[in-house]
Amino acid sequence: MNVDREFERDLKRVMKLRGIKRKADTVRTLVKEAAASEGPPNGDKPWQKYDWDKLLGAALRYPENPNPRFLNEDDLWS
C-alpha cells in the first residue's frame, strides 16, 4: 500500500494512542471498526445489506506506487 505523509503521520498517531506496535495490525483494526460501525444495528449479515458502492474509487485518492512489484496482473500470477 502506497500512502502519503499525512496518512503515515495519522497512522503513527493511532498506533501510539492505542499501543499497537505494527502498522498492519493498526490498519486491520481500523478497517474492522469502520466496517462494524457501517453495518446494520442487528448484526445480521451486515455485508449483504451494506452499500459497498460508497467504497468504489476510494483507493484512487492516493498516489500510485512509483515502483510497483508487478507490472501487470499477469506478472502477479507468474
Side-chain angles (χ1 to χ4, degrees), residues 14-32:
V14 171
M15 290 171 68
K16 185 177 181 179
L17 288 171
R18 295 192 180 198
I20 303 172
K21 296 184 190 275
R22 295 179 52 212
K23 292 178 186 178
D25 292 338
T26 306
V27 171
R28 195 175 298 116
T29 298
L30 294 174
V31 168
K32 284 181 183 178

Side-chain angles (χ1 to χ4, degrees), residues 12-62:
K12 286 180 181 180
R13 181 174 165 263
V14 171
M15 290 171 68
K16 185 177 181 179
L17 288 171
R18 295 192 180 198
I20 303 172
K21 296 184 190 275
R22 295 179 52 212
K23 292 178 186 178
D25 292 338
T26 306
V27 171
R28 195 175 298 116
T29 298
L30 294 174
V31 168
K32 284 181 183 178
E33 288 176 4
S37 70
E38 293 294 329
N42 64 8
D44 183 35
K45 298 182 182 177
W47 57 88
Q48 291 180 350
K49 298 178 183 179
Y50 182 73
D51 181 14
W52 293 102
D53 290 339
K54 291 188 238 174
L55 296 176
L56 287 175
L60 297 175
R61 290 186 287 224
Y62 298 96

